[in-house]
Structures are given as C-alpha cells and as structure tokens.
C-alpha cells in the first residue's frame, strides 16, 4: 500500500494500521516452513485420521449438524492456526453467534413481529459495533460473526437445528482441544 505525499498524518497512520493488520494474515509458504511434499502427505494422512475420528464420534453421539463442528474446526485450525489463546474466544464467539441467530427468530415470536425484530436487529447492530470497536473480543469476534451468518440461514434458523449446531461445535471444540494439546505435548518431546 503506497503512501500519498499529500495524505494527512491521521490518514497515513490509518494506512499503517491497516497494513500491520493485513501483514499478520500473511503466512509462510509451505516450503518456507520446511514442509516438503512427503511431509505434506504425512500431514494429509493425519488430517484424514483426525476427520474420520471426529465423524465417528459424531455418529456415536448422533450429531445431526456436524457441519457446524467442521466450521469451528476450520476457523480455529485454519484462521487461528490452533493458537491456544484463540481457542476460548473462538468457542465463545461461535456459540454467541448461534445464540444471536436464534434471537432473530425467537424475539419476534416472543415479543411480536415489530418489537421483537427491532430488538433482534438492534442486538445485531450492537454486535457489529462492538466488533468494530474491539469491545468484548472474548464474545464478539469473527467467529461470532461467522456463526451468526451461518445460523441466520433461513433453513437452519430453528431452535432444534441451532441447538444441534451448538452441540456439534462443543463436541468438535473438545475433540480438537484434546487432539491439539496431546499433539503439542508429543511434539515437544
């Protein structure tokens, strides 16, 4: 991002902040991280085993919305790179987003269409504002917004489905936490 010589100091500071935030997203290439094609295949085999185990657990528990668990897994492993300090905000944010998605249907039913929807939309706007301002990041974060968005899909917007999604998120979160914790302990030996 180039800097305009005529830009105000405030604008230049904003550009630097934006560049810093985007720089954090840039990751090493697999080659820079020392991941050879053979090591990549070993990692792929591990992922297949881990996914198969999660599917087995979900089948045993009769989880009907495992896609929500996989969405949590993708977010925490892919976006957060299994950073343990991001685990709890990802879990709390995911469940919070589903709760607000539920409120979008429940509040109009409980309080009447106009008042209930106004309150629900007010809560959505408040959540967006909190995200913009960086308030309550343990709850209101990008995982929150992701699950609010997915949970607001009309076909998924019912108490039973959203509850099943929340249960799948919890099961996947516990499974992943145990898997990553054990993996990090084994790797440190």
């Amino acid at each position: 991002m180039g800097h305009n010589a005529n830009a105000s100091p405030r604008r230049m500071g904003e550009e630097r902040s934006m560049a810093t935030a985007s720089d954090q997203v840039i990751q090493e290439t697999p080659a820079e991280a020392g991941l050879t094609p053979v090591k990549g295949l070993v990692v792929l085999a591990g992922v297949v085993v881990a996914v198969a185990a999660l599917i087995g657990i979900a089948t045993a528990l009769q989880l009907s919305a495992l896609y929500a668990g996989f969405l949590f897994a993708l977010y925490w492993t892919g976006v957060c790179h299994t950073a343990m300090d991001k685990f709890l905000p990802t879990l709390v944010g995911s469940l919070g987003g589903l709760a607000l998605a539920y409120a979008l249907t429940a509040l109009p039913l409980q309080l009447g269409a106009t008042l209930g929807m106004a309150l629900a939309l007010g809560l959505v706007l408040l959540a967006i504002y909190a995200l913009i301002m960086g308030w309550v990041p343990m709850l209101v974060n990008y995982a929150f917004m992701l699950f609010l968005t997915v949970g607001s899909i009309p076909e998924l917007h019912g108490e039973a489905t959203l509850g099943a999604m929340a249960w799948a998120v919890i099961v996947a979160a516990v499974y992943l936490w145990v898997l990553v914790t054990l993996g990090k302990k084994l790797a440190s030996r």
Side-chain angles (χ1 to χ4, degrees):
M1 178 180 314
H3 292 289
N4 182 345
N6 298 324
S8 71
R10 179 172 182 228
R11 177 71 184 139
M12 288 176 66
E14 289 171 1
E15 288 177 1
R16 271 189 236 109
S17 295
M18 290 171 55
T20 302
S22 66
D23 289 344
Q24 294 172 354
V25 176
I26 297 171
Q27 300 296 317
E28 293 179 345
T29 65
E32 290 170 340
L35 193 59
T36 65
V38 172
K39 287 181 183 176
L41 288 173
V42 171
V43 170
L44 176 61
V47 169
V48 168
V49 170
V51 167
L54 181 57
I55 291 171
I57 292 167
T59 301
L61 296 174
Q62 299 179 351
L63 298 180
S64 61
L66 183 56
Y67 58 88
F70 280 118
L71 196 57
F72 174 88
L74 175 64
Y75 188 89
W76 186 54
T77 62
V79 175
C80 300
H81 304 284
T82 64
M84 292 308 236
D85 64 325
K86 302 293 184 198
F87 177 81
L88 196 55
T90 301
L91 177 58
V92 171
S94 299
L95 296 174
L98 288 174
L100 186 51
Y102 175 71
L104 287 169
T105 296
L107 288 174
L109 292 175
Q110 297 297 317
L111 303 175
T114 303
L115 177 62
M117 187 53 72
L119 181 57
L121 291 176
L123 290 171
V124 169
L125 290 174
L126 181 62
I128 293 169
Y129 186 58
L131 181 69
I132 291 168
M133 297 304 297
W135 296 337
V136 207
M138 177 62 72
L139 171 64
V140 182
N141 50 47
Y142 290 107
F144 179 100
M145 292 300 168
L146 175 64
F147 278 85
L148 170 59
T149 301
V150 173
S152 297
I153 296 170
E155 288 77 15
L156 304 178
H157 210 237
E159 182 178 352
T161 303
L162 290 172
M165 288 175 70
W167 179 233
V169 166
I170 291 167
V171 169
V174 169
Y175 170 74
L176 286 170
W177 186 85
V178 168
L179 190 67
V180 169
T181 301
L182 290 175
K184 287 184 177 187
K185 284 184 180 180
L186 289 173
S188 69
R189 289 184 176 185

